[in-house]
Amino acid sequence: MGEADFEFTFIQPGHTLYEAELELRFRVLREPLGHTRDAVKFPFEAQSLHLVAHQGDSVLGCVLFHPEDSHGGRLFQMAVTPHLQGQRLGARLVHALEAELVRRGVTHVHLHARQTVVPFYERLGYSVYAEAFTEVGIPHRHMEKSLAT
């Protein structure tokens, strides 16, 4: 699979790719922690931007963004199917999301990064702030980035 094989599409709950996005998020982010499928949805799904990388109806990566005010919000639920991890698909998803956020006037993004993926986000220009904390039973760090306007 070459890089050109992926389509990047912004979707919302109810879109034909949404169930596949939820399944990917469950398999990558929740199932390995022993969580159930009902732990995958957030109360603010409908108010969030969902960007999926897909081939046809197969969702291979996703990243979400929840606006918290007119200029910023939280990146969350970043997931890439295991066999494609480490091949820049995650970075491409974040870059595509950030480009759309800049277009919409967003100037700052924050996120809760699992400790193991802090270096991934640092390579994308995010920096750690505040103390480590536990979320979904594992260590996380607060990270943030200012977007170029």
Side-chain angles (χ1 to χ4, degrees):
M1 286 187 294
E3 287 203 1
D5 296 338
F6 301 110
E7 285 184 77
F8 290 78
T9 305
F10 284 97
I11 68 168
Q12 286 292 297
H15 188 280
T16 54
L17 293 172
Y18 180 62
E19 289 304 319
E21 175 205 306
L22 286 175
E23 183 65 14
L24 175 71
R25 287 162 50 191
F26 170 68
R27 294 261 176 234
V28 173
L29 301 173
R30 294 295 182 256
E31 189 176 41
L33 302 177
H35 294 206
T36 58
R37 270 186 170 66
D38 60 4
V40 87
K41 282 190 185 180
F42 286 73
F44 42 81
E45 295 267 333
Q47 292 77 48
S48 300
L49 269 180
H50 300 240
L51 177 61
V52 297
H54 60 103
Q55 291 177 314
D57 60 3
S58 179
V59 173
L60 301 167
C62 66
V63 62
L64 281 65
F65 175 81
H66 182 65
E68 295 171 330
D69 58 46
S70 58
H71 298 292
R74 177 179 164 199
L75 184 154
F76 70 110
Q77 293 289 285
M78 167 83 209
V80 171
T81 194
H83 74 276
L84 293 174
Q85 289 175 7
Q87 298 181 36
R88 308 272 314 139
L89 181 56
R92 292 175 63 214
L93 276 160
V94 173
H95 289 309
L97 175 67
E98 288 174 349
E100 177 62 17
L101 294 177
V102 167
R103 194 185 70 73
R104 294 178 181 221
V106 171
T107 58
H108 57 272
V109 176
H110 73 98
L111 57 89
H112 300 172
R114 293 178 181 196
Q115 185 66 51
T116 54
V117 296
V118 165
F120 166 81
Y121 287 109
E122 287 177 334
R123 287 192 298 273
L124 296 175
Y126 289 79
S127 54
V128 169
Y129 70 96
E131 296 301 310
F133 64 100
T134 299
E135 192 171 72
V136 295
I138 54 176
H140 278 68
R141 296 305 302 261
H142 289 283
M143 298 188 81
E144 64 187 349
K145 180 179 181 178
S146 293
L147 301 179
T149 50

